[in-house]
Structure formats: structure tokens, C-alpha cells
DNA sequence: TTCATGACGAGGT
DNA sequence: AACCTCGCCATGA
């Protein structure tokens, strides 16, 4: 599989594109105080170039069971400067978990904070 | 179905 | 190191 696919028509009317569920399932496993990059999530789901889609999925996170704040860009920075509400919130939530930022808004010891799961369990989409 | 859009990423200047 | 350009994917009109 080289592309993230929405298995909508498979069985029943997918209220939500299953691709979101798959992404959220993975993000839900990120431990507190650790982070993953959009590209990492995409890669683990079998689509190395789908980082952008992951970010798109984060935008639609609803409910409080998905730690969306633990997903940052490849440079260890918080993305989406367009809005004014969530970026500051994301930073605060991460700081509350012990993640620190330097003067240039980058995560301190970024490489060390990265969570690299050996095995991922995202249900039917697992590889 | 084609086209534009966006919480991204890699490579070149 | 900062910035620009182009490529990628899933969505929705």
C-alpha cells in the first residue's frame, strides 16, 4: 500500500473516512511527554509522502481522546500559524507534559522527545 | 471528474 | 540557517 486510502464503501456508510480513524488510532498511542512528526505518522501508516494528509486529519480531531498536540512538524516546531487559538494551546499542553521549547520555538532535545514505536497497532490497517 | 486547498516534507539557493 | 519551490495526499465543491 503506497497511499492512505479511505475504506469508506467497504462495509456501511463511513460517517468518517476510516483514514482519520487510522491516524487517530496511532496518535492515541503517543505517550505523554513524547511527540511524533506528521511524516512519521504517515510513514507508519504506509504513506511516506502523506504527511500533509495527516495534518489535515488533525484539524478534524474531535473529542478529547486524541492527543493531537503531540504531533509536530519535522523541525520540531508547532505548525499552523494561521489560527491564533490552537498553536499556543498546543505549546502549553506539551509544556505541561514536560516538553520544553527554546527561544526559536523549537522543542529542546527534539530527537530525544520523538517517539519511535517498534510496533504499531492500528487495527485492520496495521502492516 | 477536475481543481484548488492545507496542522507537511525534502531539496536547492 | 532562512527562505523558496515543488511534490504529495485526502477533501470537498
Amino acid at each position: 500500500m503506497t497511499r492512505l486510502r479511505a475504506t469508506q464503501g467497504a462495509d456501511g456508510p463511513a460517517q468518517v473516512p476510516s483514514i482519520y480513524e487510522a491516524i487517530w488510532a496511532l496518535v492515541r498511542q503517543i505517550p505523554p511527554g513524547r511527540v511524533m512528526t506528521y511524516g512519521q505518522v504517515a510513514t507508519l501508516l504506509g504513506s511516506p509522502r502523506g504527511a500533509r494528509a495527516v495534518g489535515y486529519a488533525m484539524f478534524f480531531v474531535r473529542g478529547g481522546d486524541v492527543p493531537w498536540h503531540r504531533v509536530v512538524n519535522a523541525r520540531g516546531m508547532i505548525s499552523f500559524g494561521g489560527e491564533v487559538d490552537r498553536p499556543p494551546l498546543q505549546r502549553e499542553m506539551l509544556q505541561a507534559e514536560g516538553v520544553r521549547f527554546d527561544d526559536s520555538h523549537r522543542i529542546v532535545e527534539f530527537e530525544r522527545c520523538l517517539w519511535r514505536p517498534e510496533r504499531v497497532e492500528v487495527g485492520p490497517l496495521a502492516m
Side-chain angles (χ1 to χ4, degrees):
Chain A
M1 167 168 84
T2 56
R3 295 164 56 104
L4 297 175
R5 82 271 193 261
T7 60
Q8 38 185 342
D11 53 351
Q15 316 151 22
V16 170
S18 65
I19 184 57
Y20 284 180
E21 295 294 356
I23 293 174
W24 294 340
L26 175 53
V27 173
R28 259 191 287 266
Q29 296 175 50
I30 306 176
R34 309 298 295 281
V35 299
M36 282 208 295
T37 67
Y38 297 96
Q40 224 182 332
V41 174
T43 298
L44 284 167
L45 291 180
S47 183
R49 307 303 171 217
R52 208 164 187 177
V54 173
Y56 195 61
M58 288 300 100
F59 178 79
F60 288 103
V61 166
R62 54 195 174 198
D65 62 324
V66 180
W68 53 270
H69 61 285
R70 295 177 192 147
V71 184
V72 299
N73 66 28
R75 295 177 308 196
M77 302 177 73
I78 292 175
S79 294
F80 192 26
E83 282 297 326
V84 292
D85 289 349
R86 291 200 258 193
L89 174 61
Q90 177 170 9
R91 174 166 174 157
E92 287 179 35
M93 293 179 80
L94 284 175
Q95 292 181 316
E97 296 182 348
V99 177
R100 296 173 310 176
F101 292 78
D102 59 26
D103 296 326
S104 50
H105 308 291
R106 288 200 312 102
I107 292 179
V108 178
E109 300 289 323
F110 177 51
E111 293 298 323
R112 199 171 64 73
C113 290
L114 272 180
W115 183 58
R116 306 179 186 73
E118 291 142 19
R119 276 192 189 177
V120 200
E121 297 173 27
V122 291
L125 208 60
M127 308 177 296

